[in-house]
Amino acid sequence: MRITRITMWGLDLPLKRPYSLSGGRLHFERLDTTILRLETDEGLAGWGEGCPWGSTYLPAFPGGIRAGVAELAPAVLGLDPRRTDAVYRAMDLALPGHGYVKSAIDMACWDLVARSAGLPLCDVLGGREDGRVRLHSSIPSGTPDELLAEIGLARAEGYTFHSAKVGADVEADIERMRVLDAAMAPGEEVTFDVNRAWTPAEAIAALNATRDLHRVVEQPCQTYEQHLAVRAVVGQPLALDESLVTLGDALRLVADRACEVVGLKVGRVGGLTPARRIRDVCLEAGIRMNVEDTGGTRLSASAAVHLAQTVPEPFRRATWLCFDHLTVDPVVGGAVNDGGWSAAPSGVGIGAEPDEQALGEPLATFEEV
Ligand code: MG
């Protein structure tokens, strides 16, 4: 099987409500996603998506994906998409780094692996594990009342697990964390996601003042080194998210015993190929995982749910459906929010496919010369 054509679309994804994180310093009203279709000489087509949650959240941006796909297309055309490691090595040779660019191509290759095998994606990524995948909400930064109002909206959609974005001045954050902790019903859970906003001194002050809450606190500081300095003097379970980009990062955080939880975001780590390796490292180390993507439609969310479905309990912590935040849903099939839970679709491949009419005219098409 050979990849014969790559078609690329760009799609504007307005959010239902404006979204702030990292103490309000990052603000979003719409996302911009890139969707790819890889066609093969055997008539099968696979789909992939890359959406780095705007341009300010990560060292990644939508235009970078589009330029990168144009750069990578000549190296990928003609390869067998089922040989995912070989395709990835060819991409690394053509363009070192830039993992978030490669994720969309890699996702489409894995869709083709599963489609050609006649299996759901999860069953070629290691196999479906029992049980459903818990969803977590994503609660934007705000005052305690604003946070509680957003949690109320999430509850109405079935969510019982919340990722609340904090990270501003220490006193206000201590109040936010105490108010949200007290508002949790039995069986409900909240993680405080700082999204790198605190200095180490602020993180130590805020965490030591809320140690009694026993809640997971995610990515308190900008850098991994700052995180380790904080880790040494606080008692909470900690999560790393933005600091986990490469397999090497995963090995290092295990060696340093840096966290109990990771956010394994498919796009940020460079696609399903590296993500499944990181999954296995975390399983070996006993680290729990939120497996999700950085953003995008039901297509990328469904691919991430497939990977999450391969993680056994209790290491499969939760996943996140970005499309619950969007005003548009250009994808047919795929994972759904079933009262705060989801499951990998049972059809072949990702089990989700964009509606080509909703995608409009492609931005570019790349073919073998
Ligand atoms: Mg996070």
Side-chain angles (χ1 to χ4, degrees), residues 59-81:
F61 68 110
I65 294 184
R66 290 165 196 167
V69 169
E71 189 75 18
L72 289 168
V76 169
L77 288 163
L79 300 182
D80 185 335

Side-chain angles (χ1 to χ4, degrees), residues 207 211 214-218 231 235-239 259-261:
L207 292 179
R211 194 168 177 153
H214 303 294
R215 302 290 185 184
V216 173
V217 177
E218 182 167 319
R231 169 77 162 174
Q236 281 91 338
L238 298 180
C259 60
E260 284 70 35
V261 171

Side-chain angles (χ1 to χ4, degrees), residues 57 163 165 193 195 218-219 241-242 263 265 268 292:
Y57 170 54
S163 173
K165 308 304 173 187
D193 190 354
N195 292 111
E218 182 167 319
Q219 193 73 42
D241 191 13
E242 291 95 313
K265 289 193 168 69
R268 192 189 59 231
E292 56 207 29

Side-chain angles (χ1 to χ4, degrees), residues 216-291:
V216 173
V217 177
E218 182 167 319
Q219 193 73 42
C221 295
Q222 181 73 31
T223 70
Y224 181 72
E225 289 71 22
Q226 291 171 4
H227 175 92
L228 285 185
V230 171
R231 169 77 162 174
V233 292
V234 302
Q236 281 91 338
L238 298 180
L240 279 166
D241 191 13
E242 291 95 313
S243 286
L244 171 58
V245 180
T246 67
L247 181 61
D249 294 336
L251 296 174
R252 187 167 60 149
L253 69 84
V254 169
D256 292 338
R257 298 178 183 162
C259 60
E260 284 70 35
V261 171
V262 295
L264 179 49
K265 289 193 168 69
V266 173
R268 192 189 59 231
V269 303
L272 292 165
T273 293
R276 68 181 188 140
R277 295 178 187 143
I278 293 171
R279 169 201 66 187
D280 294 342
V281 167
C282 290
L283 282 177
E284 178 65 20
I287 292 173
R288 301 185 73 204
M289 287 166 261
N290 294 335
V291 182

Side-chain angles (χ1 to χ4, degrees), residues 101-310:
V101 169
K102 295 165 183 164
S103 181
I105 294 174
D106 183 64
M107 188 183 293
C109 288
W110 277 103
D111 191 26
L112 281 163
V113 172
R115 285 173 187 252
S116 64
L119 292 169
L121 177 59
C122 58
D123 284 338
V124 295
L125 289 171
R128 181 184 295 271
E129 289 286 332
D130 290 340
R132 296 186 296 167
V133 181
R134 195 175 187 185
L135 300 176
H136 69 79
S137 68
S138 188
I139 305 296
S141 284
T143 64
D145 283 347
E146 288 166 343
L147 285 158
L148 288 174
E150 284 283 340
I151 283 179
L153 293 170
R155 282 176 178 147
E157 295 178 42
Y159 289 97
T160 57
F161 191 163
H162 308 286
S163 173
K165 308 304 173 187
V166 298
D169 71 280
V170 170
E171 290 308 316
D173 278 327
I174 292 169
E175 185 196 358
R176 272 186 264 267
M177 289 190 282
R178 290 207 172 275
V179 166
L180 293 187
D181 176 75
M184 290 298 109
E188 213 173 14
E189 233 181 286
V190 62
T191 290
F192 301 120
D193 190 354
V194 190
N195 292 111
R196 321 186 293 268
W198 287 331
T199 64
E202 289 171 331
I204 291 165
L207 292 179
N208 282 337
T210 54
R211 194 168 177 153
D212 56 301
L213 301 184
H214 303 294
R215 302 290 185 184
V216 173
V217 177
E218 182 167 319
Q219 193 73 42
C221 295
Q222 181 73 31
T223 70
Y224 181 72
E225 289 71 22
Q226 291 171 4
H227 175 92
L228 285 185
V230 171
R231 169 77 162 174
V233 292
V234 302
Q236 281 91 338
L238 298 180
L240 279 166
D241 191 13
E242 291 95 313
S243 286
L244 171 58
V245 180
T246 67
L247 181 61
D249 294 336
L251 296 174
R252 187 167 60 149
L253 69 84
V254 169
D256 292 338
R257 298 178 183 162
C259 60
E260 284 70 35
V261 171
V262 295
L264 179 49
K265 289 193 168 69
V266 173
R268 192 189 59 231
V269 303
L272 292 165
T273 293
R276 68 181 188 140
R277 295 178 187 143
I278 293 171
R279 169 201 66 187
D280 294 342
V281 167
C282 290
L283 282 177
E284 178 65 20
I287 292 173
R288 301 185 73 204
M289 287 166 261
N290 294 335
V291 182
E292 56 207 29
D293 212 338
T294 43
T297 71
R298 193 181 296 268
L299 178 65
S300 63
S302 300
V305 171
H306 275 285
L307 184 65
Q309 190 78 63
T310 70

